[in-house]
Structure formats: structure tokens, C-alpha cells
């Protein structure tokens, strides 16, 4: 669970029950600074004159605000829309796309006007009937470490349990899901756990839950009948990578319940980066050992108009062959959604 160093409450936010409940949960904790904003400039309340410090202080800051624009962003190809519950993440994964995406605002924002957000979700669903509309709850965040006190996922899962034409999905590197295990989900929410080898987690995924804890949480969700899957990402090629990823897959297999309601899904994504991301990562993590040597990668133009450095074709083919063979061999009731 994310315990912030400071919590910043937007002006007039306490009229929302989520905001006042968060205040009640933390107000007696002397170690947490509580700030009630008088202006709308969050950044004024977060110390640091340079990106390195702002990033670290921002990652310890929780902002409670409202989602002003209820126009949802598209979220292709994994869903139709992003569902804006939370923005940002307490983790400090060195390769994280949020490092670029959230610029110099790495703080965690929780939107307290959840009822309005879910009403808007209903309108999006109704607009596409008879098609099913899929919403992604972790497009710009990891919503799980704040769940014990926001209950935003819980309310959203309950909302989707009654949506015949709507589905919800989210992905996490955390394990604070106990409040979600016993709620009525009606199979309308899919949960994926992002995992990697111990080596990669240790080197690059600072401040996240251990792989064992993520797998344990995945098993609890699968046993509770949720459609469950694993995102193995980013895949790195390094000495012993095949042995270590094989060990990871075997560990998942050894812990899986005998019978699952839905096939276990896999999404496999190899490591890639943009030039903007690389510059930003080097600024925030000057000692990073992330492999980002452009000479060793291929440059690939993406659908959003900017290119990425990806592994060369032979390496990608090796990754694809390795994961499809191993998953096929180890798991019975499974679906590989993609390997890229
Ligand atoms: Fe980014 Fe996910 Fe790591 Fe959070 S846990 S820093 S969202 S990669």
C-alpha cells in the first residue's frame, strides 16, 4: 500500500466522500504532511528545483482532485478507452513510460468524483451498443497501491458487473487486492499482473511488490473467478535470460489453482524505448544500467508518428519462438494474446 509523505487536497474537494475518507484515514499520522490547497498549482507544494529531486518528491506525493474533463482518451489496441481513476504511480521502474508521459508531474493523483466518471462511462457504453466497450484502468497509473483507501477499483468493478455491454481491465505490479477478492464482479473485469525475472525486478523495478507477491495476488484473483492473466514485460535479452524466464513461467505454473474459470492469458512485450524516454530516464536515473544503446537496436516507426528503438529482428524472432514454445509446453488452459 502506498503511504505518501504528503497529501495535497484540492480546494473544495472534501465534499466528495472519497476525499474526506482519505483525510480521516491519514489525518492523525504525524509522519504525513496534510496540505489543503488554496490555489490550483499542485507543483508549488512539492519541493525540488531540479527534475531529479522533483521526481523523487513527486513519487511520495498523493494529490486528491477531481477529473475535470470527462472526455476519455482512446486506448488502442488493448481497450477502447482509458478509464481515468488514478494518474501516476508510487513505483520507480526505470523503464516506465510514465517517466515521459507524466513529464515533471510524477505525483499520484486520485480523482474523487468517481460517480461522475462512472456516469460518463455509462454514456460511452450506451453510445456503442450493441458492441461491447472495453475500458483500461491502468493506462496512466498503477491503481492498486492506493486501492486500500480509495476503493476506486472496488466501485468500478461493481459498476461493470452490471454492464452487459461494458468490460473493464487493469494491470498491476502490486498486490493490494484483498478488498477486491470477495466482491461481485460477474466476470466483467479482467486483471493482469505484470511480472518479470527476479534479476530484472531487482535491477529496474524500484519500489514495486516482489514477483512472489504479485503471483500470490494473481492466484487469489483467479480463485475468486476473475479472468486473470500475466503481462511479462519488458523482456530483456541478457546472459541466462531463457533460463530465468523459464524459471518464472514454471513458478507461475507451480502456484496456479488446479481449475480456473477462464484461460490464463499472456501478453509478452520486449523492451523498447523512444529518444525522449531515453533522455528523460538518464536525467532521472543517471546511474541506470538499462540497455539503451541505439547501435544495438532497430529503429521502428510507430503508429503514433514517433519511432522506437526495438530489438533487431533476429532477437525478436528468438523471443517469440521462446515464449510461444515454453507457454505452450507448460500451460494447458491458456491464451497467448500477443508477443511483440
Ligand atoms: Fe510505471 Fe508500472 Fe513501475 Fe508504476 S509499477 S513505475 S506504472 S512500470
Amino acid at each position: 500500500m502506498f503511504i505518501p509523505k504528503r497529501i495535497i487536497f484540492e480546494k473544495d474537494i472534501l465534499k466528495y466522500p472519497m476525499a474526506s475518507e482519505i483525510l480521516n484515514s491519514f489525518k492523525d499520522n504525524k509522519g504525513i504532511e496534510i496540505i489543503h490547497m488554496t490555489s490550483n498549482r499542485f507543483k508549488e507544494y512539492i519541493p525540488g528545483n531540479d527534475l531529479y529531486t522533483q521526481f523523487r518528491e513527486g513519487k511520495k506525493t498523493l494529490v486528491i482532485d477531481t477529473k475535470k474533463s470527462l472526455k476519455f482518451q482512446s486506448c488502442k489496441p488493448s481497450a477502447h478507452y482509458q478509464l481515468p481513476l488514478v494518474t501516476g504511480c508510487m513505483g520507480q521502474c526505470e523503464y516506465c513510460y510514465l517517466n515521459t508521459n507524466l513529464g515533471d508531474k510524477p505525483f499520484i493523483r486520485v480523482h474523487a468524483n468517481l460517480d461522475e466518471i462512472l456516469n460518463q462511462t455509462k454514456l460511452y457504453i450506451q453510445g456503442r451498443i450493441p458492441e461491447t466497450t472495453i475500458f483500461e484502468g491502468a493506462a496512466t497509473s498503477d491503481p492498486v497501491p492506493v486501492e486500500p483507501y480509495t476503493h476506486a477499483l472496488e466501485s468500478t468493478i461493481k459498476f461493470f458487473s452490471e454492464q452487459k455491454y461494458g468490460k473493464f481491465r487493469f494491470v498491476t505490479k502490486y498486490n493490494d487486492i484483498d478488498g477486491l477478492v470477495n466482491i461481485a464482479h460477474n466476470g466483467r473485469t479482467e486483471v493482469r499482473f505484470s511480472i518479470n525475472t527476479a534479476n530484472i525486478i531487482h535491477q529496474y523495478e524500484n519500489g514495486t511488490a516482489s514477483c512472489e507477491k504479485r503471483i500470490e495476488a494473481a492466484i487469489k484473483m483467479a480463485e475468486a473467478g476473475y479472468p486473470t492473466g500475466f503481462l511479462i514485460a519488458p523482456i530483456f535479452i541478457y546472459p541466462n535470460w531463457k533460463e530465468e524466464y523459464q524459471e518464472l513461467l514454471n513458478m507461475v505454473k507451480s502456484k496456479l489453482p488446479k481449475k480456473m474459470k477462464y484461460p490464463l492469458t499472456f501478453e509478452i512485450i520486449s523492451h523498447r524505448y523512444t529518444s525522449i524516454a531515453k533522455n528523460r530516464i538518464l536525467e532521472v536515473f543517471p546511474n541506470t544500467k538499462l540497455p539503451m544503446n541505439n547501435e544495438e537496436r532497430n529503429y521502428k516507426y510507430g503508429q503514433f508518428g514517433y519511432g522506437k528503438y526495438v530489438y533487431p529482428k533476429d532477437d525478436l524472432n528468438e523471443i517469440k519462438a521462446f515464449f510461444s514454445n515454453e507457454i505452450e509446453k507448460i500451460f494447458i488452459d491458456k491464451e497467448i494474446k500477443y508477443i511483440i
Side-chain angles (χ1 to χ4, degrees):
M1 177 168 99
F2 174 48
I3 306 286
K5 182 172 170 190
R6 68 184 66 79
I7 310 181
I8 303 177
F9 289 88
E10 191 182 58
K11 218 171 148 197
D12 298 331
I13 195 75
L14 292 175
K15 66 182 182 212
Y16 292 96
M18 186 200 290
S20 52
E21 280 162 27
I22 293 175
L23 179 62
N24 282 337
S25 313
F26 289 110
K27 69 178 180 345
D28 296 327
N29 188 329
K30 296 277 173 279
I32 300 176
E33 185 187 2
I34 303 282
I35 299 164
H36 294 282
M37 281 189 16
T38 46
S39 78
N40 267 344
R41 288 191 291 274
F42 301 110
K43 278 181 63 187
E44 284 178 5
Y45 301 91
I46 304 173
N49 295 324
D50 52 78
L51 190 62
Y52 182 93
T53 321
Q54 280 165 2
F55 177 86
R56 280 160 180 76
E57 290 297 329
K59 286 276 182 181
K60 296 176 195 155
T61 304
L62 179 65
V63 171
I64 318 294
D65 69 358
T66 54
K67 178 74 186 148
K68 311 288 184 301
S69 160
L70 291 175
K71 187 173 180 313
F72 294 179
Q73 303 287 316
S74 78
C75 194
K76 283 178 183 148
S78 69
H80 295 98
Y81 294 105
Q82 300 183 6
L83 187 60
L85 303 174
V86 178
T87 311
C89 173
M90 65 185 265
Q92 297 193 25
C93 302
E94 296 180 12
Y95 56 75
C96 178
Y97 69 101
L98 294 183
N99 294 337
T100 332
N101 193 290
L102 294 183
D104 54 351
K105 302 180 197 64
F107 44 83
I108 297 89
R109 298 160 84 133
V110 167
H111 303 309
N113 56 336
L114 185 58
D115 289 348
E116 287 165 37
I117 294 169
L118 294 179
N119 283 341
Q120 183 66 26
T121 307
K122 202 173 228 166
L123 296 180
Y124 277 108
I125 293 173
Q126 285 166 350
R128 294 189 74 254
I129 289 174
E131 301 292 323
T132 295
T133 307
I134 304 171
F135 296 82
E136 169 62 59
T140 55
S141 69
D142 191 318
V144 168
V146 291
E147 176 59 19
Y149 45 85
T150 64
H151 307 291
L153 289 172
E154 179 182 339
S155 305
T156 305
I157 292 169
K158 287 179 180 163
F159 165 85
F160 275 94
S161 74
E162 294 169 356
Q163 305 303 317
K164 194 173 162 200
Y165 295 99
K167 282 190 173 179
F168 179 50
R169 63 201 313 252
F170 64 90
V171 59
T172 183
K173 283 187 167 69
Y174 291 89
N175 62 327
D176 308 282
I177 47 80
D178 286 353
L180 308 179
V181 170
N182 290 320
I183 59 177
H185 56 80
N186 202 14
R188 307 301 291 171
T189 294
E190 179 195 351
V191 195
R192 294 109 75 220
F193 288 82
S194 168
I195 54 173
N196 220 315
T197 64
N199 217 326
I200 298 301
I201 292 179
H202 180 70
Q203 280 193 77
Y204 308 124
E205 297 185 358
N206 313 305
T208 58
S210 70
C211 194
E212 287 76 9
K213 289 213 158 99
R214 296 180 212 174
I215 295 174
E216 255 169 47
I219 302 311
K220 282 188 196 167
M221 294 302 264
E223 285 175 341
Y226 281 91
T228 306
F230 288 101
L231 185 84
I232 311 186
I235 304 292
F236 290 97
I237 292 186
Y238 60 94
N240 278 340
W241 68 277
K242 285 187 181 167
E243 288 77 3
E244 293 187 16
Y245 281 110
Q246 194 179 44
E247 210 173 286
L248 178 69
L249 292 169
N250 282 326
M251 179 158 77
V252 170
K253 167 72 179 173
S254 70
K255 294 181 189 266
L256 277 186
K258 288 268 171 304
K259 200 154 173 39
M260 292 183 46
K261 197 161 178 197
Y262 300 93
L264 188 69
T265 61
F266 287 95
E267 295 159 79
I268 316 284
I269 307 173
S270 57
H271 179 242
R272 63 226 23 241
Y273 58 88
T274 61
S275 295
I276 299 175
K278 178 176 171 179
N279 292 339
R280 182 130 210 132
I281 291 166
L282 292 174
E283 210 172 339
V284 178
F285 299 104
N287 300 321
T288 188
K289 301 225 162 39
L290 270 178
M292 293 189 294
N293 183 352
N294 299 356
E295 316 285 293
E296 293 170 5
R297 299 292 179 103
N298 278 0
Y299 190 71
K300 189 177 159 210
Y301 284 97
Q303 53 174 324
F304 302 110
Y306 54 85
K308 291 182 179 179
Y309 290 93
V310 300
Y311 275 110
K313 208 159 169 216
D314 287 350
D315 288 346
L316 284 178
N317 286 340
E318 205 177 343
I319 289 174
K320 281 180 190 166
F322 171 78
F323 279 98
S324 45
N325 290 340
E326 289 301 318
I327 292 172
E328 196 55 49
K329 207 164 66 190
I330 298 174
F331 299 93
I332 300 164
D333 193 13
K334 80 293 176 179
E335 180 197 346
I336 301 177
K337 292 207 162 180
Y338 54 81
I339 304 177
I340 56 169

